[in-house]
Amino acid sequence: MQNNQNNLDGIPVGSLGLITLKGCEALGEKINNYIVEWRKERENEHKSTIAFSGYQRDNYIIKTNVPRFGSGEAKGVINESVRGNDLYILVDVCNYSLTYSLCGEINHMSPDDHYQDLKRIIAALGGKSRRITVIMPFLYESRQHKRSGRESLDCALALQELIGMGVDNIITFDAHDPRVQNAIPLSGFETVQPTYQFIKALLKNVDDIELDSDHMMMISPDEGAMGRAVYYSNVLGLDMGMFYKRRDYSRIVDGRNPIVAHEFLGSSVEGKDVFIIDDMISSGESMLDVAKELKARKARRVFLASTFGLFTNGMAKFDKAYEDGLFDKILTTNLVYQTPELLSREYYVNVDMSKYIALLIDTLNHDASISHLLNPAEKINKLVEDYKNR
C-alpha cells in the first residue's frame, strides 16, 4: 500500500484521467499502475456512491493522438469522453528522440513542438473537463526566465497562455527560477524538489556512506543552486560549500559568457565524500569542472546529482572523466528522456519519480493537501536513521 499520510477520504474533484503526450508513455504507464493498485487496495465506505463513479478502474489513461499532415502541421484528437473529468496532462518537452515527416524530411521534435502538441490537446478538450492540471517536469523555456536588454520572456508568456486556455494548475520540478510563477500569481503553480528520491537512490546504491559533517559535504556548483544545497545540508546535518563561476563578460561564446574559473567558498573537502546537486546537466562542462576542482582539493568520492540529465553533447566527456576518477556516480531522474547510452553506463543511477508523481496526482484528485509531499523532511530523517542502523 502507498506510503501516504492522508487517508484520502474526501470526495474526488472528478473522475480521474491521465493524458500522456508522446514521449511520456513509459513514465505515464508507471504512474497509472501505481494509482490502479492503490485504489484497488484502498478501503472507503463511500466508494459505491455516485460521487465516486469511475473511481476504481483498470486504466486511467485517456487515449489521445496528434496526427501530422505532410506539411508538418498537426491537430490534437481526444478519442474518448472527458466530460467532468479531473485531467492530468504529462508532457516531456525535452524528448528529442521523437521524429515526424516535414515535407519528406525527418525532423526531430523540439521543445517548441512538444509545447504546441500540449496546446493542441488542451484545445481538443473543448472545455468539457472539470479541471486541467499540466505536469511539465522540465518547465518549457525556463532558462529564458528574465530579461536582459530587449529579449522575449518566453517562460512567462507560455504560463500565461496555458492559464488563458483553461489550465487550472501547473506542476513542474526544480524550476530554474521559481519566480516565474509571478507571471500567473492567481493560478496554481508548484515547483517540486525530488530531494527524498535523490537521497534514497544514493543510499541504495552506495552502502558505505557516513552521513555526518566529518565525512561528507554538500556542494553547490554555483550561486544559483545555493537554496537547493542548503536544504540538503539542513535535512542531512552536513556542511556545505559553494563554487562561484567567474565569467569573462567581455566575450560571448555559444550564446553565453565563458567561464574563466571556479572559485571555491567553504571548508576543506580533503578526505570527504562530496555530493554536488544542481537542477540540470546540459553539456556537463560546468559540473565536470567542479568535480575536477574538488578532486584537486583531495575530495574522497564525488557524486553528481541533477534533476534533469540532458547530456546535450553526448556521453564521451563523462566516460573519460569517470575513467580519470573525477566522479563515482551520476544521479538524474526519469522526468526527461534518457538515452539507451546513458542507461547503459555503470556509473549512472536512474532516480525513478513515477511513484512520487502518482502520489501527487492521487492526492490532488481528492483535493487534499500535498504539503507533506512537498516537504519530506520526516521521511528523509527516517530514511537516514534506518540507513545508519543498517
Side-chain angles (χ1 to χ4, degrees):
M1 189 61 181
Q2 62 179 343
N3 181 20
N4 194 348
Q5 296 177 19
N6 285 352
N7 294 322
L8 300 185
D9 289 329
I11 296 175
V13 172
S15 183
L16 177 62
L18 302 178
I19 295 179
T20 57
L21 298 192
K22 288 182 180 179
C24 284
E25 294 90 346
L27 180 60
E29 191 64 36
K30 287 183 178 181
I31 294 168
N32 177 68
N33 291 340
Y34 275 118
I35 297 175
V36 169
E37 179 187 349
W38 295 338
R39 294 197 170 185
K40 282 182 178 178
E41 296 177 359
R42 183 175 298 144
E43 295 298 329
N44 192 312
E45 59 180 324
H46 304 294
K47 273 170 68 171
S48 60
T49 65
I50 191 171
F52 279 73
S53 176
Y55 182 77
Q56 187 174 305
R57 303 204 303 269
D58 293 329
N59 184 32
Y60 296 95
I61 296 178
I62 304 293
K63 294 178 182 178
T64 63
N65 192 23
V66 185
R68 287 187 180 270
F69 304 103
S71 61
E73 297 167 293
K75 62 180 178 181
V77 180
I78 308 294
N79 295 318
E80 55 188 282
S81 175
V82 294
R83 187 176 294 276
N85 284 10
D86 182 23
L87 295 180
Y88 295 81
I89 306 176
L90 189 64
V91 56
D92 174 13
V93 299
C94 294
N95 194 332
Y96 62 88
S97 68
L98 303 177
T99 60
Y100 62 91
S101 177
L102 176 61
C103 299
E105 300 292 333
I106 299 300
N107 196 41
H108 283 265
M109 288 189 71
S110 70
D112 292 340
D113 291 315
H114 286 290
Y115 177 63
Q116 283 299 123
D117 282 359
L118 170 64
K119 292 196 296 180
R120 291 180 176 115
I121 290 298
I122 295 171
L125 295 174
K128 302 299 188 294
S129 59
R130 181 161 298 172
R131 187 173 69 176
I132 300 174
T133 299
V134 169
I135 301 177
M136 187 187 291
F138 186 96
L139 188 59
Y140 174 70
E141 289 289 358
S142 59
R143 299 173 82 174
Q144 184 52 29
H145 62 284
K146 62 183 179 180
R147 177 174 281 157
S148 300
R150 291 192 176 94
E151 297 178 348
S152 58
L153 290 172
D154 296 45
C155 189
L157 286 172
L159 293 176
Q160 291 179 352
E161 190 172 20
L162 290 177
I163 297 302
M165 294 183 72
V167 173
D168 298 277
N169 299 295
I170 297 171
I171 297 176
T172 188
F173 283 77
D174 212 347
H176 192 66
D177 188 339
R179 289 174 294 183
V180 294
Q181 66 187 291
N182 292 338
I184 49 170
L186 301 180
S187 302
F189 181 95
E190 296 288 352
T191 176
V192 185
Q193 298 289 340
T195 312
Y196 173 77
Q197 287 73 21
F198 269 126
I199 296 171
K200 182 179 180 181
L202 179 66
L203 298 184
K204 182 180 178 181
N205 286 274
V206 185
D207 58 7
D208 62 342
I209 290 178
E210 296 184 71
L211 288 167
D212 59 64
S213 57
D214 293 327
H215 299 91
M216 192 171 184
M217 194 169 177
M218 292 300 308
I219 301 294
S220 172
D222 54 43
E223 59 275 20
M226 272 285 289
R228 207 174 288 112
V230 166
Y231 183 81
Y232 277 83
S233 297
N234 285 338
V235 294
L236 295 175
L238 304 178
D239 194 6
M240 193 199 81
M242 185 198 84
F243 278 90
Y244 169 70
K245 293 178 183 177
R246 187 154 55 86
R247 296 179 181 271
D248 182 359
Y249 289 99
S250 66
R251 297 186 299 136
I252 296 179
V253 179
D254 295 330
R256 60 179 183 173
N257 302 108
I259 299 171
V260 177
H262 285 90
E263 308 288 353
F264 183 65
L265 305 173
S267 58
S268 173
V269 299
E270 184 173 353
K272 295 180 181 179
D273 292 335
V274 292
F275 189 76
I276 309 171
I277 182 70
D278 206 356
D279 61 334
M280 74 176 75
I281 295 176
S282 185
S283 66
E285 177 185 343
S286 178
M287 192 73 98
L288 291 177
D289 283 348
V290 168
K292 185 177 180 181
E293 291 287 338
L294 290 168
K295 276 295 184 180
R297 289 170 169 79
K298 300 181 180 178
R300 181 180 172 226
R301 291 181 296 187
V302 176
F303 303 107
L304 311 179
S306 175
T307 307
F308 306 108
L310 305 181
F311 302 101
T312 54
N313 291 351
M315 301 304 301
K317 192 182 299 184
F318 289 89
D319 292 340
K320 186 177 186 310
Y322 180 68
E323 291 172 6
D324 294 342
L326 293 186
F327 69 89
D328 294 82
K329 295 286 183 186
I330 291 181
L331 298 85
T332 70
T333 71
N334 61 341
L335 293 171
V336 293
Y337 171 65
Q338 299 162 300
T339 64
E341 292 77 18
L342 173 64
L343 294 171
S344 68
R345 296 303 192 266
E346 63 174 329
Y347 55 76
Y348 179 68
V349 176
N350 178 23
V351 181
D352 185 11
M353 298 297 296
S354 57
K355 186 175 183 180
Y356 190 26
I357 297 175
L359 277 169
L360 289 168
I361 292 174
D362 198 21
T363 306
L364 287 171
N365 181 235
H366 285 264
D367 231 8
S369 172
I370 59 172
S371 298
H372 64 285
L373 297 174
L374 299 179
N375 186 14
E378 290 184 14
K379 288 182 68 177
I380 294 172
N381 290 336
K382 186 178 185 305
L383 177 69
V384 171
E385 184 181 348
D386 291 344
Y387 179 82
K388 289 180 177 179
N389 292 337
R390 190 168 67 244

